[in-house]
Amino acid sequence: MCIRDRAVPDSGSGPGLIVVQEWWGLNDQIRRTADQLAADGFVALAPDLYHGELAGHDEMDRAGELMTNLPPDRAARDMSGAVDYLVGLDATTGEGVGVIGFCMGGMLTFLLAAGRPDRVRAAVPFYGFPQGDVGPDLGAITAVIRGHMAAQDDFFGPDAARALEAGMRDMGKDVAFTIHDAGHAFMNEENALGTYDAQLRARVWPEVVAFLHEQLD
């Protein structure tokens, strides 16, 4: 069963938002992110896609192993179940939800948006997206997507991001990526890669919150 971490606004209600973990797992950093989003007015729900397993920020090999061994179909089921659970909460307002994800979670935002176009209205992927021939059915996505990628990124490069953005626009999708002058994981204050950018995070976060409220309120 998918274990979840949930955070609710002080007001007691708000639009629903799925928070998708990085390759480390459902750790304290992702929990803090969910808490921040609750403070920003969302009912935030972070599904535990590794079912209790974690990698420390000094265990990149372990994180890579966990990510590689994550069955995509199980991740899709867990995230879809999290959407249904979130929509069913008394605290959640509206029938649509948003999704925000980081690194691996950024990539999985596309999987969830493609799998649940009936519910996912807005998606914010950070430095992560589908690559290669195997991936979700992007044509099924109806959500508005505003992605934030890194110019210096060996995992999800800017050229590939621009190609994906152009391809989805050709499909008629409402998608836009901002390529920031930063390294991968620039939003993660744990700074495992030495790329955290506090000033950039402070500038980007209000834009993300405003976008999500615009789409979900």
Side-chain angles (χ1 to χ4, degrees):
M1 182 176 178
C2 177
I3 304 167
R4 303 175 177 93
D5 189 66
R6 184 180 72 191
V8 178
D10 289 341
S11 65
S13 64
L17 187 61
I18 299 293
V19 185
V20 191
Q21 69 192 49
E22 295 192 22
W23 68 344
W24 314 106
L26 182 55
N27 58 12
D28 289 342
Q29 192 272 331
I30 289 295
R31 294 177 190 275
R32 288 195 301 270
T33 300
D35 288 341
Q36 178 60 63
L37 287 162
D40 291 326
F42 301 96
V43 179
L45 179 64
D48 182 1
L49 302 182
Y50 291 163
H51 293 193
E53 296 193 78
L54 284 172
H57 280 100
D58 59 347
E59 299 178 309
M60 291 187 65
D61 289 344
R62 172 64 172 157
E65 177 185 359
L66 288 170
M67 181 177 67
T68 300
N69 292 335
L70 175 65
D73 58 339
R74 191 187 81 186
R77 287 195 304 270
D78 282 352
M79 291 190 297
S80 181
V83 168
D84 290 332
Y85 177 83
L86 181 59
V87 170
L89 293 175
D90 290 339
T92 303
T93 58
E95 297 183 355
V97 302
V99 55
I100 183 172
F102 305 85
C103 182
M104 178 189 80
M107 176 178 62
L108 291 175
T109 62
F110 291 87
L111 180 64
L112 180 55
R116 294 301 306 269
D118 60 317
R119 293 292 190 186
V120 178
R121 304 284 193 267
V124 183
F126 277 92
Y127 33 81
F129 49 83
Q131 301 187 82
D133 297 330
V134 178
D137 178 10
L138 300 177
I141 293 175
T142 57
V144 180
I145 300 176
R146 295 294 180 265
H148 296 269
M149 310 305 170
Q152 294 88 50
D153 195 328
D154 293 331
F155 301 99
F156 299 93
D159 290 343
R162 287 301 188 203
L164 176 61
E165 178 188 45
M168 293 189 69
R169 284 183 175 178
D170 287 345
M171 296 178 190
K173 307 304 177 182
D174 188 347
V175 55
F177 296 160
T178 301
I179 309 295
H180 298 281
D181 184 14
H184 184 81
F186 58 81
M187 296 287 284
N188 190 329
E189 70 275 12
E190 295 291 338
N191 203 27
L193 304 182
T195 54
Y196 175 56
D197 190 328
Q199 291 184 335
L200 179 57
R201 180 189 174 104
R203 186 169 73 250
V204 168
W205 193 255
E207 298 176 7
V208 170
V209 170
F211 164 73
L212 289 169
H213 274 299
E214 177 184 323
Q215 298 300 319
L216 301 174
D217 282 348

